[in-house]
Amino acid sequence: MEITQIRKIYDKMERNVLIMIAVPIPFFGFVYLNSENPIFFFEIPQLSEFWEYFLLAIGFTFLIAQYFVFHKETKIISTSDKDMAGKMNAFSEAVFKRFWYLFITALIAALGLFLFGNPGYTVAFAITLLFFSIAKPTPDRIIRALKLKGEEKDQVNALKIRI
């Protein structure tokens, strides 16, 4: 019974994470391609240099924050005495929080590149893509993040087998 609950939580988490990865990519892609070889011309108001670097700093702050917040929460989850379904629920919430940070960072990078054309936003987006890739939850990453052993580890490993 518990493996069914864990599988539902995992499948929902995986689906939502993939959506959060897929949505900002076309926005950034359009902005990047248009900044390299303009096809569409937009009347963009000139903002002060302060806003350019402030928005870039916010993007990088989110990149750093998502890492530390996620690891702090997984440490709390791994030391809790919840059952495996409870741990997976808490882990799922931590993953969603992490991916919201990354999602917002990707949109900030697209907006910043659109408004300012600063290549720092392209670097921020590339780092965001890297985190999207390495942070996507898999059974092995869940086991490692929550430091699972024994029966709990076996339950999460069972997620590798597709039904």
Side-chain angles (χ1 to χ4, degrees):
M1 175 65 182
E2 191 171 342
I3 189 68
T4 311
Q5 288 177 305
I6 294 169
R7 183 170 297 284
K8 283 182 182 179
I9 295 166
Y10 178 75
D11 288 343
K12 180 182 175 187
M13 178 175 51
E14 187 176 42
R15 181 195 65 222
N16 291 344
V17 161
L18 290 174
I19 290 169
M20 292 175 86
I21 291 171
V23 169
I25 291 173
F27 291 113
F28 187 84
F30 173 78
V31 170
Y32 179 78
L33 292 174
N34 197 59
S35 72
E36 292 296 310
N37 188 11
I39 296 172
F40 300 104
F41 296 95
F42 300 99
E43 291 294 324
I44 302 169
Q46 291 296 318
L47 299 172
S48 72
E49 197 173 283
F50 167 79
W51 293 112
E52 176 179 353
Y53 293 105
F54 179 76
L55 194 60
L56 190 59
I58 293 292
F60 279 105
T61 301
F62 272 45
L63 280 173
I64 294 166
Q66 62 83 25
Y67 179 83
F68 288 110
V69 168
F70 178 75
H71 285 284
K72 178 184 171 204
E73 289 184 8
T74 56
K75 188 174 186 177
I76 293 169
I77 296 166
S78 68
T79 58
S80 74
D81 57 352
K82 296 180 182 179
D83 65 336
M84 194 56 219
K87 285 183 180 182
M88 278 298 287
N89 256 334
F91 182 78
S92 178
E93 290 174 15
V95 165
F96 289 141
K97 187 182 291 185
R98 180 180 208 178
F99 273 83
W100 272 114
Y101 277 102
L102 293 170
F103 181 83
I104 291 168
T105 303
L107 293 180
I108 287 172
L111 178 67
L113 186 62
F114 178 73
L115 292 175
F116 305 109
N118 184 330
Y121 291 103
T122 305
V123 172
F125 188 76
I127 295 170
T128 303
L129 285 179
L130 178 71
F131 274 111
F132 273 146
S133 174
I134 63 175
K136 185 183 171 297
T138 63
D140 292 329
R141 290 179 182 148
I142 294 169
I143 291 167
R144 191 171 45 251
L146 297 180
K147 298 175 181 79
L148 299 177
K149 292 181 177 81
E151 185 181 334
E152 290 179 334
K153 181 179 178 180
D154 294 338
Q155 288 175 330
V156 174
N157 265 330
L159 297 172
K160 293 179 185 178
I161 303 167
R162 288 289 178 193
I163 299 174

